[in-house]
Amino acid sequence: MDVDWLRAETPGTEHRIHLNNAGAALMSRRTLAAMTEQLQLEAEIGGYEALDRVADRVEATYAGMARLLGARREEIALFDNSTHAWNAAFYAVPFRPGDRILTTRAEYGSSVLAYLQVARRTGAELVVVPNDEHGSVDVAALAELVDERTKLIGLTWVPTFGGLVNPAAEVGRIARSAGALYLVDATQAVGQFPVDVTEVGADLLTGTARKFLRGPRGTGFLYVRTEVLDRLDPAVVEIAAATWDGGRGFRWAEGARRFETWERSGVNLAGFGAAVDQALELGLDAIGTRALGLGARLRDQLAALPKVATHDQGTDRCAIVTATVDGMPAEEARAALAASGINTTVTVPEDDPLDTEDRGLPALLRLSPHYYNTEAELDRAVEVIAGL
Ligand SMILES: Cc1ncc(COP(=O)(O)O)c(C=O)c1O
């Protein structure tokens, strides 16, 4: 990987040390150019006309996303964020009283709220599977808990609050053998390391382009395995998702597009497509090797500092590193790093309620390098933290 060239193609690297790729990664010149061109076209010929003009490129975005995930093009729906994609999948499951939703302690805050609401509304029961001694979902406990009442298993592959990589494929095998729907939140996984929906055994998988895929904000996607479509009833319907039959009925759109909305941002779609193409060209194996290597290096460096503790769980970890600095709230540490030109963020307990219930951790400083960061940038961040 030619890191110097990749940095030259990433304008943001000139001014900041960007260690907030789990928030939103820096876009490349190519992505920026695709979006700027689309915006210009919208201004010149009109927003609807501009989207029509690039219809082929929009289709190529579906095809690229499908290639990235090892899926079929008709199994991809595009959204404006990951939560909306996840909601589209989750709220389409027809839960009944007595059904069970099995999930893990790593779930994202919005998903936990949705589980609670749907359980209250439908009489389904929410069961939170315990972690093993390393902090990953306990696969043996999950296998014990699964039975014919299990309608859905929801798993966050990589949580927002740490470097944990949950054993998504092992969970997928359990879900498949139980006949339960398997919904994977891959928001922090896609773009960071290889993701193959067949290997994972996902029926439904969600994410965004703005994080490790390096696309723009305002983007999301949902993968729906063709074979589970008839077990789902989308919670809402609109003119992109279905066609009026002329009488008192309608027909769903083919494949995953029945979950989409009609209105969409051509500018964001242009950036989404460019970012996917770039990830495919670089290759997710190479991206994953470098990103995870930088994550491990940074974690080791921080853990070696006397006043710092790291909090990433699991035996399998990624490029998200969380830390606390003795005697200093995470927000103060973040602000001090920002004042030195280093972007990081803070994860708060509300982002991950079930993990908070378990570990009771305070807000954490989160650092998330990506393949275009350098070792020298990590050293500089560690130096600033050491001096706090
Ligand atoms: C694991 C995980 N799931 C879901 C989300 C929500 O994504 P979005 O903000 O695109 O809705 C996030 C955002 O940080 C996340 O980290």
Side-chain angles (χ1 to χ4, degrees):
M1 200 172 257
D2 184 347
V3 175
D4 288 342
W5 181 79
L6 289 163
R7 291 175 67 76
E9 290 300 305
T10 306
T13 58
E14 282 167 31
H15 314 291
R16 309 283 298 178
I17 296 179
H18 189 69
L19 299 177
N20 189 15
N21 294 286
L26 293 176
M27 286 186 283
S28 68
R29 283 188 203 286
R30 173 174 169 178
T31 300
L32 193 59
M35 294 177 74
T36 313
E37 202 181 299
Q38 188 65 20
L39 190 61
Q40 190 70 35
L41 198 61
E42 286 191 8
E44 281 168 15
I45 70 167
Y48 286 23
E49 294 75 8
L51 196 53
D52 285 347
R53 180 87 63 92
V54 296
D56 288 357
R57 292 219 327 242
V58 174
E59 280 309 307
T61 305
Y62 288 92
M65 205 54 230
R67 249 182 82 203
L68 193 79
L69 300 178
R72 296 198 285 260
R73 185 199 298 212
E74 64 275 15
E75 294 178 315
I76 304 296
L78 299 180
F79 284 85
D80 57 349
N81 63 55
S82 180
T83 302
H84 284 171
W86 192 94
N87 285 343
F90 178 65
Y91 284 88
V93 181
F95 291 106
R96 295 200 177 78
D99 285 342
R100 280 180 142 194
I101 301 166
L102 264 51
T103 194
T104 76
R105 296 214 166 265
E107 292 298 283
Y108 189 63
S110 299
S111 308
V112 174
L113 295 173
Y115 290 139
L116 296 174
Q117 186 202 28
V118 164
R120 193 165 64 190
R121 189 188 268 175
T122 65
E125 186 191 357
L126 177 63
V127 180
V128 183
V129 181
N131 282 343
D132 65 15
E133 70 273 29
H134 306 291
S136 313
V137 58
D138 186 333
V139 178
L142 172 69
E144 288 281 307
L145 282 164
V146 161
D147 61 20
E148 68 292 343
R149 291 171 295 178
T150 309
K151 185 90 156 226
L152 177 115
I153 298 177
L155 174 95
T156 293
W157 196 341
V158 172
T160 203
F161 59 79
L164 164 71
V165 181
N166 260 323
E170 282 180 63
V171 172
R173 281 191 283 279
I174 294 171
R176 192 61 63 87
S177 66
L181 286 165
Y182 183 30
L183 168 57
V184 180
D185 174 350
T187 306
Q188 297 289 5
V190 171
Q192 188 181 171
F193 51 76
V195 169
D196 183 293
V197 288
T198 307
E199 251 168 54
V200 172
D203 295 316
L204 302 150
L205 183 137
T206 57
T208 172
R210 80 170 182 279
K211 296 180 184 286
F212 288 95
L213 259 181
R214 304 184 60 195
R217 298 195 68 169
T219 51
F221 61 85
L222 164 65
Y223 156 79
V224 185
R225 193 162 72 89
T226 303
E227 291 74 11
V228 302
L229 270 176
D230 57 9
R231 291 161 68 184
L232 302 169
D233 188 15
V236 290
V237 60
E238 58 170 283
I239 51 174
T243 314
W244 177 45
D245 70 0
R248 288 290 175 265
F250 65 85
R251 273 189 320 279
W252 288 114
E254 290 300 313
R257 295 195 198 186
R258 71 189 56 182
F259 293 96
E260 290 186 337
T261 57
W262 187 87
E263 171 55 5
R264 51 204 357 219
S265 159
V267 175
N268 288 355
L269 286 174
F272 194 149
V276 171
D277 287 349
Q278 181 171 283
L280 286 167
E281 283 165 26
L282 287 170
L284 265 298
D285 283 321
I287 288 174
T289 303
R290 178 151 176 89
L292 271 53
L294 290 175
R297 183 184 196 274
L298 180 57
R299 190 174 298 114
D300 289 347
Q301 285 178 296
L302 290 177
L305 297 177
K307 285 193 321 190
V308 175
T310 58
H311 299 281
D312 306 311
Q313 296 176 290
T315 45
D316 203 4
R317 295 184 214 163
C318 66
I320 300 180
V321 180
T322 47
T324 43
V325 181
D326 279 357
M328 178 173 277
E331 181 48 37
E332 252 178 66
R334 187 205 62 76
L337 284 156
S340 301
I342 303 170
N343 294 348
T344 61
T345 194
V346 168
T347 88
V348 295
E350 297 74 42
D351 291 344
D352 45 84
L354 300 175
D355 180 68
T356 299
E357 196 176 66
D358 203 22
R359 290 196 289 168
L361 287 172
L364 304 175
L365 179 67
R366 186 181 75 183
L367 305 95
S368 47
H370 207 0
Y371 60 83
Y372 56 77
N373 288 116
T374 63
E375 285 76 0
E377 287 183 313
L378 303 190
D379 294 347
R380 174 69 188 133
V382 172
E383 186 188 11
V384 172
I385 293 171
L388 291 176

